Amino acid sequence: PSKRGGAWASAYVGQSKLFGTKPVIANHLNIPKPPEGEPTLLTWDEVKTAFHEFGHALHGMFSDVKYPRFSGASVPRDFVEFPSQVNEMWRTWPEVLKNYAKHYKTGEPMPAELLDKVFAAEKFNQGFKTTEYLSATLLDQSWHQLKPEQVPDATLAFEAEALKKSGTDLPVVPPRYRSTYFSHSFSGGYSAGYYSYIWSEVLDADTVEWFNQHGGLTRENGDRFRKTLLSRGGSDEALNLFRNFTGKEPFIAPLLKRRGLEVAPPPEAPPTTN
Ligand SMILES: [Zn+2]
């Protein structure tokens, strides 16, 4: 009757040593049909999504755990987007990019200046975007930290007070969602978890930094990521998995740099733990 839109990864069979199952993972990506006689081309966003979903697929396929409960992407909400976001980095990695980013008529590689423009555009308006998002995450927290008997009837008054308390009552940057239509917070499965997107991105940006500092796209680096993190699924604390891979605590500076929000020299990185 109808087909689901968008893109997603599914585990039709999850890996488990207990049941002796091997993973069966699928990626789905809807792409508009090209006009008659023209080739199917991907937009930059579609390329990003394809790499993103493949990151979920790797999480499922490399899973090497005993219990199905902890298999692959069976991890906490604020960790599940981390491996997929990390995988997005490879789409701009020079060795990878030159394999697919070619002009469809001339075969010319994507010019470096064009790629620079893409990177520059990603930093546009990040001050506003980051603030409106954080404002909504803090509002989400304010609601869900109430006890049932504390939930007020005066929704908008509570919201105004909560924004004031969190320091985000900024008339020019309203929260991305107001309480009255904040479906993530009240019915979308992100109750008290709307922060997950940016938390995953803190880990993601820090991991990209790790790859940059350790020689990038090498077999050794990939094996390390697979062994310490991708293969572990949810069988250990998410933060432990991150620490086992990077050897340190998460650090916010790489995310600020990515968003073009770095205004002063970053604070000193936390000490290495192993
Ligand atoms: Zn995802």
Side-chain angles (χ1 to χ4, degrees), residues 17-250:
K17 285 185 195 163
L18 184 67
F19 297 140
T21 52
K22 288 185 177 167
V24 178
I25 312 291
N27 269 183
H28 306 262
L29 173 65
N30 282 284
I31 301 164
K33 210 171 188 172
E36 186 71 33
E38 289 185 29
T40 302
L41 302 173
L42 300 187
T43 65
W44 187 240
D45 259 357
E46 286 161 352
V47 169
K48 180 178 176 177
T49 304
F51 276 79
H52 177 98
E53 298 306 333
F54 194 63
H56 286 306
L58 291 177
H59 206 185
M61 291 192 287
F62 286 154
S63 179
D64 188 19
V65 299
K66 181 171 179 183
Y67 298 105
R69 166 71 184 78
F70 300 126
S71 181
S74 306
V75 297
R77 165 80 70 190
D78 62 3
F79 196 65
V80 72
E81 295 302 330
F82 161 60
S84 50
Q85 287 182 353
V86 166
N87 206 60
E88 291 172 16
M89 86 166 113
W90 302 118
R91 96 202 127 118
T92 54
W93 210 265
E95 297 101 304
V96 179
L97 188 80
K98 73 174 184 208
N99 275 315
Y100 74 86
K102 296 172 188 167
H103 193 282
Y104 81 105
K105 280 181 182 157
T106 65
E108 290 284 310
M110 184 173 177
E113 312 83 70
L114 188 56
L115 192 60
D116 287 344
K117 281 186 187 169
V118 170
F119 286 135
E122 283 176 356
K123 289 183 179 167
F124 174 71
N125 216 15
Q126 284 295 347
F128 181 91
K129 285 183 192 165
T130 305
T131 307
E132 65 152 9
Y133 169 80
L134 288 176
S135 178
T137 67
L138 292 164
L139 183 58
D140 172 46
Q141 290 296 319
S142 299
W143 278 111
H144 289 287
Q145 286 177 18
L146 294 174
K147 295 191 174 102
E149 65 273 16
Q150 293 175 320
V151 176
D153 288 329
T155 304
L156 296 181
F158 175 82
E159 175 181 297
E161 190 57 29
L163 294 178
K164 206 168 159 188
K165 269 192 206 151
S166 68
T168 58
D169 55 335
L170 309 165
V172 291
V173 192
R176 186 182 292 175
Y177 300 107
R178 295 284 184 181
S179 303
T180 45
Y181 57 89
F182 198 170
S183 67
H184 280 86
S185 184
F186 295 109
S187 62
Y190 278 84
S191 314
Y194 193 57
Y195 72 93
S196 299
Y197 296 97
I198 205 164
W199 175 242
S200 295
E201 210 186 330
V202 169
L203 303 181
D204 154 36
D206 206 358
T207 300
V208 171
E209 189 77 0
W210 186 95
F211 274 98
N212 279 322
Q213 288 171 355
H214 290 80
L217 187 62
T218 66
R219 175 89 213 186
E220 198 189 347
N221 287 343
D223 280 345
R224 180 184 170 98
F225 193 49
R226 174 177 175 173
K227 182 165 176 263
T228 58
L229 202 141
L230 291 177
S231 65
R232 306 315 315 147
S235 65
D236 192 359
E237 274 290 319
L239 210 47
N240 283 343
L241 298 177
F242 175 86
R243 289 192 197 105
N244 291 344
F245 171 66
T246 61
K248 62 178 195 60
E249 299 295 323

